[in-house]
Amino acid sequence: MQQFVQISDELKIRYISIGQGQPIIFIPGWTMTADAFNRSLKPFSERFQAISYDPRSHGRSTILKSGNDYAQHGRDLAAFIGELGLKDVVLVGWSSGALAAYAYFQQFGYGNARAFVSIDMSPKPLMESESDWGIDTRENIRLMLASATAPDHSFMVNTFASQIYRSDPADEIYIQGMIQQSLNMDPHIAALLLADVNLCDYTEVASTTAAKLPVLHVVRQQALAAARKWMDANAPDAELYALGGHMMFWEHAERFNRVVARFLDAKLHAQRGAGN
C-alpha cells in the first residue's frame, strides 16, 4: 500500500509497505523508485513487513536541491526507519541503494539491523583497473557524467537502460515505465548522484558490515569473478550468488526471491537460536 511519511521539515518520503512482521527494506538504485521491486515485495510480505521507498528527489518523494548524495541518503534512511518505528531491520540495497545502506551503517551502526543484502554493487564503484569489481573505469565514468548533464540526457538514460534491462518483450511496458521514471528526475540531480556514486569508497564499511551482520552479495553473472576476488580480500564472511544481469531481481524474480529467502531463513533463524 502506497503511503507518505514526513521525515524532516523539508522531506516527505513516499513508500510502499505490504505485510506484517520483521521489516525488510528494499532500497532502489540511481533515479529509480520503490516500484522497481514490484516482483519482490508481495512474495516477501508473506513473512515480513516488506517495504520500499522513493529516496530524496526520486519518484514521488520531495524533490530537493540539497542533500543529493549518499551520505545524506544514509541519514534519510535512518530517519525513515525511526519515523516508522521499525526494529530489527533487514536492508536490501540495489545498485547505489547499497551505498545508502553502507552510509547508514557508517553513521548509525548495526544495532537495529539483522542482515544486509547487496544487489550488484561494489563498495567502491570506480574501477582502477579492468579487473576490478565496480561500475566502470574513470574515463568511461567521465563520459557518462557528460552525457547525464547534456541538454537532452534521454540518450544516456536509454543506453543505460538497454544495458540493465534484458527482459523479454512482454516486459516492454515495465521497461519504458522505468526509463520514464529516470527521465523524470532533474538531470542535474541525476548527475550529482552519479558523480557521488563514483566518489564513494565503502570498502572498510563493507568489510565491517560482513563481520557484524549476515551479508549476501547477489551480483550479475559477468561480475562473479571480480566480486569473488574482492570478497576474498575484504569480506570473506559474506556470501556470494551470481544471477542474470544488473536487474536480476526483476528478470529472474522467482529465483532471486528464493535465494534471498533461503539466506534470510538460515541467518535469522540462527540469530533467534543464539538469542535463546
Side-chain angles (χ1 to χ4, degrees):
M1 182 176 66
Q2 175 180 286
Q3 301 176 66
F4 290 84
V5 60
Q6 193 82 35
I7 69 166
S8 70
D9 290 343
E10 63 178 2
L11 179 58
K12 182 182 289 186
I13 290 287
R14 175 249 184 179
Y15 70 100
I16 299 170
S17 177
I18 310 174
Q20 297 181 343
Q22 185 173 10
I24 180 169
I25 305 174
F26 293 83
I27 310 167
W30 179 73
T31 72
M32 294 289 100
T33 73
D35 302 305
F37 296 105
N38 284 349
R39 288 184 172 176
S40 292
L41 290 176
K42 187 174 180 180
F44 278 95
S45 72
E46 296 176 4
R47 288 178 294 173
F48 295 88
Q49 180 184 2
I51 302 167
S52 190
Y53 65 97
D54 299 353
R56 165 187 301 248
S57 301
H58 291 60
R60 298 175 198 171
S61 292
T62 311
I63 298 171
L64 296 168
K65 294 182 179 179
S66 61
N68 295 300
D69 59 77
Y70 289 95
Q72 181 60 53
H73 280 213
R75 292 189 286 273
D76 291 345
L77 175 57
F80 177 74
I81 290 170
E83 283 296 324
L84 294 185
L86 304 175
K87 303 296 183 184
D88 299 329
V89 299
V90 174
L91 298 183
V92 182
W94 169 43
S95 196
S96 61
L99 303 180
Y102 287 133
Y104 168 82
F105 292 137
Q106 184 179 58
Q107 296 172 91
F108 300 96
Y110 303 91
N112 197 27
R114 293 297 173 265
F116 174 51
V117 178
S118 172
I119 306 174
D120 205 37
M121 174 53 79
S122 166
K124 183 182 178 183
L126 182 63
M127 296 167 58
E128 301 295 345
S129 73
E130 294 288 347
S131 64
D132 286 346
W133 181 30
I135 293 178
D136 214 328
T137 61
R138 190 179 307 273
E139 185 58 32
N140 287 338
I141 292 299
R142 289 181 64 202
L143 295 174
M144 288 175 64
L145 283 169
S147 298
T149 55
D152 179 7
H153 66 297
S154 61
F155 176 78
M156 180 267 185
V157 170
N158 278 279
T159 301
F160 179 70
S162 70
Q163 296 172 354
I164 68 170
Y165 302 126
R166 301 187 183 278
S167 303
D168 60 51
D171 288 330
E172 185 63 26
I173 293 176
Y174 172 82
I175 293 169
Q176 290 305 315
M178 291 295 99
I179 290 172
Q180 191 55 53
Q181 284 187 7
S182 187
L183 289 173
N184 284 343
M185 177 177 278
D186 183 296
H188 294 287
I189 293 176
L192 282 171
L193 288 166
L194 183 59
D196 193 57
V197 164
N198 293 287
L199 291 172
C200 288
D201 184 355
Y202 285 110
T203 301
E204 185 175 342
V205 178
S207 179
T208 301
T209 302
K212 296 275 189 180
L213 297 175
V215 172
L216 170 65
H217 289 275
V218 183
V219 302
R220 65 191 185 277
Q221 289 282 359
Q222 187 179 0
L224 177 59
R228 171 58 67 193
K229 178 182 176 182
W230 184 93
M231 288 175 60
D232 286 346
N234 297 283
D237 294 326
E239 296 188 18
L240 176 64
Y241 191 88
L243 175 65
H246 187 57
M247 205 172 182
M248 79 291 285
F249 59 91
W250 178 268
E251 296 168 339
H252 305 285
E254 290 187 9
R255 189 171 167 191
F256 171 86
N257 294 340
R258 185 167 60 250
V259 166
V260 174
R262 286 176 178 170
F263 167 77
L264 293 177
D265 283 347
K267 300 303 181 180
L268 298 179
H269 177 77
Q271 289 176 356
R272 287 191 289 269
N276 293 334

